[in-house]
Amino acid sequence: MSQAATLEPIEPSAPLEDSKRDNDVPFVTKILRTLFSPSTVTVFFAIISALVIGALIVVFFDPKVQATMGYLFARPEDFFAEAWRAFSGFFTSLVRGSIFDWNQDSLAGAFRPLTETFVRATPLIIAGLAIAVSFTAGLFNIGVQGQLIFGAIFGGFIGFFWDLPPVIHVLVAVIGAIAGGALWGFIPGILKAKLGANEVIVTIMLNSIAAYFLAALLNTYTFHGDGFAGKSRIMGPNAQLPLILGPSYRMHLGVIIAILACVLVWWLLERSTFGFELRAAGANPEAAKTAGINVNRTLMLTLVISGALAGLAATGPTLGTEKALTAGIAGSIGFDAITVALLGKSKPIGVFFAGLLFGALNAGGALMQASASIPVDIVQITQAIVVLMIAGSEAVRYMRQKRRRELATTRKVEETPVAAPKEVGA
Amino acid sequence: MKLELQGITKVFGPLVANDQIDLVVEPGQIHALLGENGAGKSTLMNVLYGIYQPDAGRILIDGEPVTFNGPGQAVAAGIGMVHQHFMLVPVFTVAESVALGYEPTDAGIINKKKAAEKVKELSARFGFDLNPDAVIEDLPVGVQQRVEIIKALSRDAKVLILDEPTAVLTPQETDELIAIMKELKASGTSIVFITHKLREIRAVADTITVIRRGKVVGEATPDASEKELAALMVGRPVDLGVAKEEKAPGATVLAFDDVTVIEDNGQVVLDHVSFDVRAGEILCIAGVQGNGQTELCEAILGSTRPTGGHVTIDGHDLTDSTIKHRLRQGLGYVPEDRAKDGMIASFSVAENMILDVYDQPPFATGISMHPQAVIENAEKLRKIFDVRVTSVLDPISTLSGGNQQKAILARELSRPIKTLVAAQPTRGLDVGSIEFVHQSIVEQRDSGTAVLVVSTELDEVEALADRIAVMYRGRIVGIVPPDTPRDILGLMMAGVPYDEARTAGKEVRS
Amino acid sequence: MSAQVTTSENQVVEGIRLPVQWRDPVVAAVMLILTLVIAVMARGESRISFADISGWFEGGIWVISAPIAVWTMTVLSVVGTVIIWLRALARKHINGWWLALVSVALVVSFLVWVVSDRPTAILPVVSLLAGGLMFAVPLGFGALAGIVNERSGVINIAIEGQLLVGAFAGAVVGSAFGSPWMGLIGAPLAGMALGAILAWFAITFRTDNIVVGVVLNMLALGLTSFLFSTMLKNSQHLNQNLKLPILPIPVLSDIPIIGPVVFRQNILVYLMFVVVIVMQFMLFNSRWGLRLRASGEKPQAADTVGINVNRIRWHNVLLGGALAGLGGAFFTVGSGLSFSKDMAAGNGFIALAAMILGRWNPTGALAAALLFGLATNLGGVMQAVGAPIPAEYLLMIPYLVTILAVAGFVGAVRPPAAEGKPYP
Amino acid sequence: AAPEKEAPASGADQSGSQSGAAAPTTGENIKACVVSDEGGFEDRSFNQSAHEGLLRAESELGVEIAQAESGSPDDFDPNIQNMVQENCDLIIGVGFMLQDAMIAAAQANPDIKFALVDSTFVKEEGDKAPENARALVFNTAEASYLAGYASAAMSKTGKVGAYVGMKLPTTAIFNDGFADGVKAYNEAKGTSVELLGWDKDKQDGMIVGDFSNQQKGKELTEQLFQQGADIVMPVAGQAGLGTLAAAKEKEGSMVVWVDADGAEAQPESAAVILTSVMKEIDNAVFDTIQSVLEGTFDSTDYIGTLANGGVGLAPWHDFESQVPAELNEEISALQEKIISGEIKVETTNQP
Ligand SMILES: Nc1ncnc2c1ncn2[C@@H]1O[C@H](COP(=O)(O)OP(=O)(O)OP(=O)(O)O)[C@@H](O)[C@H]1O
Ligand SMILES: Nc1ncnc2c1ncn2[C@@H]1O[C@H](COP(=O)(O)OP(=O)(O)OP(=O)(O)O)[C@@H](O)[C@H]1O
Ligand SMILES: [Mg+2]
Ligand SMILES: [Mg+2]
């Protein structure tokens, strides 16, 4: 009722928000335009500088570099040699681990890192989409981790317990995973819709419950069979996601699924009536309600869809790479996906590239520790710095633009003559 | 205290909101600022109050140039401001709201007694009835307005800026405010008074400055006619009345049968309300804000569920049906609070124009939407309803309030409707926009739609109504013809039944 | 001139009655049914230990008949439930204590049942509560940090990270100086450092608060793990087991139950209680609190009376960081443990939940933290007495309890209106 | 358990290793690499032990090394693959979780030697392990049997406790042996010392839920104390540090540490560590590296037992004076009987 509470001054568009949508331009032009837009360039430089910072941290804590620091002034060349070794080791192993490994004998082997990047990006992208969907509806689904675990439980169970013909088995397992995730998303959804329970609390709690539930299941005979407790039986051969580049690469069908999921989520958010409802409910639930949208139902469905995507994300490790359930099957995908979604600004295309970036850093980090003895935690640090650099540079760019615009208009105003002619009313 | 603004210029990006504005406020004077929406009045006052820094120009107090780096300095210099959009914290008490920023404290702990006394003392002085412990969000807007005024006065303001304080007040409240303004003026306070209501200006102003597109376009004296003022403001002649022919209404379309709404906290907000609206008729709901009009509209829309009674549209009992179902049954709905309920700020103008038909052809088949149809629709409506917008793909938040309201009207009037509910359809709009909105509503009525208008503006009620229903404390006090004298309506709005009010009114007049 | 009519209790508006509020009666009924089920299952004797209950007398171990105890509780539960139902059907206000009675009856029945009919199982009253408090301390600090941040308008998802760097700095600074007390200086500073990054991005750069928070968690986890693997691994002396001394408070520490649980603790525990009480008072009675809340609810209102909103936000984000950092110190110097990777173990997120569950009030958040801590410890007690439920399910108890609390008792909550919105 | 033959030099036999260090027989240097399980190399448990073995090989044998921590099971494959790419001569995986990945890698890379801690290379009964792979497994139950017996004897309250980080065969085996040891003591002495926190028949008991939460480890220990236990064996990696902290706060309580000799690894807690159930992963890793260096590597499984010193009970250290000579003798006798096969310690979790 209070007018005061509602007529807020218009916020200047947030620095992280996308620029205007335009529908008339051809697709390629659009891609090129985004590729070379100021914001893409900023992002590129932000990533590079974040990597440099990561490398400097490595240099600083490198034991050999520290050793040379002891006699820095006596023999500075030692220090610089070691520092350069550590610094370049960071970059070479990053590239060798994520894109191209020139140390390999065969070209096929040399390109394996690139496929690794895609494999690692797959669950991150799909789980990132799960977060993005919930964000778009104004929900913070911290529970993707738990939903992923439930997807793994359902999909994995179908994969190792049932015995179905080829194609059908993997299909049923994937659907099972989706259903498992959706079920775990349904709980916070229904609690929010019916009882107003805050989804942040509920999903945080459901994460832990899911993890313990999986641990309990892994101690049952049904799950571990004749093997040891703690690790489930192996997925049936028909339930595994097929390897799309042959057995020498881990690249499995999940990569294609991730791309399809991006397209599907884009369509869902931007082109479907449900997406319209979801975006409306996220942007202004009151107005959405007034427009006849059932906001509670929309939010509930959003959590279900978000959970379903999380469940789908579980198929990567469960049916693609791991092929068995363990307590750690979900890793920290559900949490890393939050960063991926935020870095991708909750847009499918953004999530895709953010997922690739994180996948590449993960793959590179793995080789980094193997070849340069750099603790793998540097990957996390670098990922965090990447996002901070991007956020920071965008903020700076936004402020500078604003100032430039203001300066330009001020100058124009000052040039106009001072006289202000006055009409006089009766 | 004499206040002078010289050559004040303020730009927002490409927009020059204030362009070399000069203004002099003499001590003990009520200086009215007049101008259409977006003319730059609030911006000018925000510059004066230290919220914005001017890009050019200067402020002088008693001939001395001053600069305000923030509102704190303006307040210290004796300037008080009641903002167009309330600057109150909804969860604070009245005493806390008044104290904020100038808290009486003992070692950092607020002396609540002192804060409450201050409120009591000031409300006693101006005849307000304010409970220092009441929480702001529970108060009707009229009372919130008083808190704002007390807040400004509690700092001993020598110059008081009132930015559209009457937009949410009832006639009676407006009269009280005008009395207070006169009292303040008598005690030497200067007042800058901003309003769109020409009648009020003529009632209190000593000087009038008219602003258009950021520039001072003229000055006037209170004896100028409303027509002249309006023309000066808009830059063209304005038709203040609404051309409306008598028409025989058709069958009942919208009906309330004994509807009662009780809120969860036990408040009875609608108390056995019955009325009907017939095709080709405008029923206006008059009344002081907060007497159940909001809930009445919500009960029609279905966002509030009646505890008892029935709501029917076109013969269908819709008491328990969903909002969507009602909208499909031909309900057009212009909500009272457009920013909150009527539009989605971050959505494009085009999307906002299909907000409640997004899943209907031609905008969607099944669950697949057709963006091209959405854009075409927007382009069409933009022309018909004269919505001023650079691109229909821009977020609607970049439009001025008047244009936002037009976009909402366009949406509701462009789909097939049998009944139109419009709550406060012209709140905060300038005369030009009001003219347009009123015309659209009357056209809708003429095409055979049953129209229900809720308004706290008696001017608007008189201009539009075929019948007037007066609400008081959740009840309909009476339904009266449109030519009922204002004083009788006023009494009814205070809860006096029609018959008694008529006798009382006659006594007064005789 | 209020235009709305407040009806008196149980008002009948000419035949129309107020809708019945079903949440409390349903919750009470469910709890009663659970109590009944326990009563039916209860067999044999239960041993309840009141050891260390008070400095004034020996508590010893009490052996009670489980069925008698549980049926007594059931009777109480029935009384409470009936009253709740009668009042609900009469549309009268239901005093929260009735629901509390029913809940307590359920919890007590459950505890008695857990140790019943098992001659070696003991229900340790004091350690059940004291252990619960131990789990609650970092949650309490984290939730307090969240409260000052969010009430001033900045969403802080980075509590987890702040706890973690607090734990790290507590151990490392304490070890470097050879005193756990120095850890109490290092920890809040580390939390503040993370808070400063949060403030810089969220306030000054206007970055999405959740983005910064999530990233800071990542950064904190990455950095502490990296330093643990590089710096601390080679210099173990920088990561020792240091413990803040227990400082029993004379007289108070002898009060039965409360004494040993609350007043025989280290400084961090006392500090948490003090901060809760002081903050609860200050939020609603001091200039600091008023301005803080104004910044988080309606920054424009604060700005127009000359309050520098962003300065207030900066200060309180730093204050929050310091509080969370202190909470982190509880993991290391507060518990006599050395730092290890990912030591916060999700406590920051649970603190966030406690803050919401407590409706952004210090006392409410403390209650939520205690609820969670007690439920966690209850799971531990049940494991120790060998309850016939797989341990993984017992570990779920605190999480299930929290979901029940938010769904059954709390419902929708309203965050500060302007949280997460940059100003201007 | 498979019969043991030709076990490499036992860990207890330090001098043997040392002498090998002095003279690498095959002139060429090798690269030895370790891939951890989840938990990383600072887990105060098997990953850390394996890593220490690797580091010792680097410093004493001068071999090149590389290491990779796995954050999740999804890292196993790529980490092993990276090690292959890094031209490792020997790749050691830590933990039975790596079994599948290690078998696949061993089969795909016959030129590289593989070793797997805590698991065999045999997935199903009847499969043949690859020629280039050796399992490094430990019959920990034998050592924890002794610890259980000693604890039962040392307990003043007649109750001892144990808990695990998570229920896995490699943790449960400690508890199974411990439980049998307690039972043996009861049978021998007619006492009824109780083991809290583990039920061997049900294979269920107290768990932390992970291997890192020290606070929870501390609280679980306190609850065991409350139930009357005065000796607790945490089989929970880092979380076990919580038990040490709890024991230091409780007069008269003791801890049985696992994996390494706790009194040496955590000297500041030596005062509460009664003994440790040692699982000499580091020695096994070191010896395996040495065997590759010397060209004596073969695919025979290495099974750590009391007999070959691969597992054992640590010295009493601070408790030397408190342990009755009689008990010392009994333990020695039991050890002999187990080595001779007179006593069979059996559990379903045996490798
Ligand atoms: N922070 C801002 N950033 C960009 N534009 C803004 C901002 N604030 C206001 N505007 C501009 O303000 C206009 C709308 O402002 P406002 O709501 O004050 O309208 P108005 O001119 O007062 O109209 P009305 O009286 O009809 O509401 C738009 O033209 C919009 O571009
Ligand atoms: N913060 C802002 N940023 C950008 N533009 C703004 C801002 N505030 C106001 N404007 C622009 O300045 C113009 C003048 O706005 P102002 O609020 O002063 O109008 P007004 O005369 O008070 O109108 P109304 O009668 O609707 O209150 C508006 O049209 C708007 O476009
Ligand atoms: Mg306006
Ligand atoms: Mg204005």
Side-chain angles (χ1 to χ4, degrees), chain A residues 134 137-139 185 189 192-193 274 278 281-282 285 294-304:
Chain A
S134 76
L139 294 168
K192 179 164 186 91
F274 179 74
L278 186 154
N294 186 338
V295 172
N296 275 340
R297 182 177 143 270
T298 305
L299 295 184
M300 195 190 80
L301 275 178
T302 303
L303 281 168
V304 170

Side-chain angles (χ1 to χ4, degrees), chain A residues 9-10 12, chain B residues 10-18 34-46 52 84-85 163-164 194-196 211 213-214 233 338 398-402 428-430:
Chain A
I10 297 161
Chain B
K10 178 72 197 169
V11 294
F12 293 113
L15 177 97
V16 185
N18 287 167
L34 195 56
E36 58 187 330
N37 293 133
K41 308 177 294 288
S42 302
T43 305
L44 184 66
M45 292 302 109
N46 285 337
Y52 294 149
Q84 180 172 6
H85 311 316
D163 192 353
E164 288 192 45
I194 300 175
T195 181
H196 290 295
I211 299 179
R213 305 219 173 133
M233 200 165 115
R338 67 171 163 263
T398 58
L399 269 59
S400 79
L429 297 197
D430 65 31

Side-chain angles (χ1 to χ4, degrees), chain B residues 150-378:
Chain B
I150 292 265
K151 208 170 104 182
L153 294 176
S154 70
R155 329 271 200 248
D156 300 322
K158 310 250 174 8
V159 175
L160 184 62
I161 304 165
L162 300 174
D163 192 353
E164 288 192 45
T166 56
V168 293
L169 297 186
T170 60
Q172 284 90 340
E173 286 173 326
T174 304
D175 291 342
E176 285 169 32
L177 181 66
I178 285 175
I180 292 165
M181 284 165 65
K182 286 182 170 158
E183 191 183 317
L184 283 168
K185 172 183 155 183
S187 66
T189 310
S190 333
I191 296 175
V192 181
F193 180 44
I194 300 175
T195 181
H196 290 295
K197 298 177 192 168
L198 306 173
R199 202 166 46 85
E200 293 165 7
I201 291 205
R202 286 166 32 106
V204 287
D206 297 313
T207 341
I208 301 170
T209 298
V210 182
I211 299 179
R212 195 193 318 144
R213 305 219 173 133
K215 292 190 175 133
V216 175
V217 291
E219 277 164 8
T221 45
D223 49 17
S225 77
E226 292 193 9
K227 255 197 143 62
E228 282 169 327
L229 289 174
L232 189 54
M233 200 165 115
V234 185
R236 63 178 167 87
V238 181
D239 192 357
L240 290 174
V242 183
K244 183 165 139 270
E245 290 164 25
E246 283 296 319
K247 272 215 164 164
T252 296
V253 179
L254 170 69
F256 258 44
D257 178 18
D258 213 23
V259 173
T260 298
V261 173
I262 304 173
E263 291 197 332
D264 283 350
N265 61 10
Q267 281 190 333
V268 180
V269 284
L270 280 190
D271 189 356
H272 296 277
V273 170
S274 299
F275 63 83
D276 47 31
V277 192
R278 285 177 282 170
E281 159 186 73
I282 299 177
L283 175 71
C284 276
I285 306 277
V288 176
Q289 179 151 34
N291 275 293
Q293 297 100 318
T294 307
E295 288 77 10
L296 181 122
C297 294
E298 286 175 358
I300 300 174
L301 181 68
S303 55
T304 291
R305 281 294 145 97
T307 324
H310 297 276
V311 178
T312 43
I313 293 178
D314 205 20
H316 303 278
D317 187 338
L318 298 179
T319 315
D320 294 318
S321 57
T322 61
I323 297 177
K324 184 160 265 177
H325 184 66
R326 295 174 200 226
L327 296 173
R328 296 286 166 274
Q329 283 293 320
L331 171 65
Y333 189 80
V334 179
E336 172 184 345
D337 188 336
R338 67 171 163 263
K340 180 163 150 263
D341 300 319
M343 60 181 222
I344 295 176
S346 57
F347 275 28
S348 68
V349 177
E351 283 176 315
N352 271 292
M353 282 176 165
I354 56 151
L355 205 53
D356 48 13
V357 284
Y358 64 94
D359 55 353
Q360 301 288 303
F363 311 118
T365 34
I367 63 161
S368 170
M369 289 186 72
H370 308 305
Q372 205 50 45
V374 175
I375 294 170
E376 277 160 17
N377 171 68

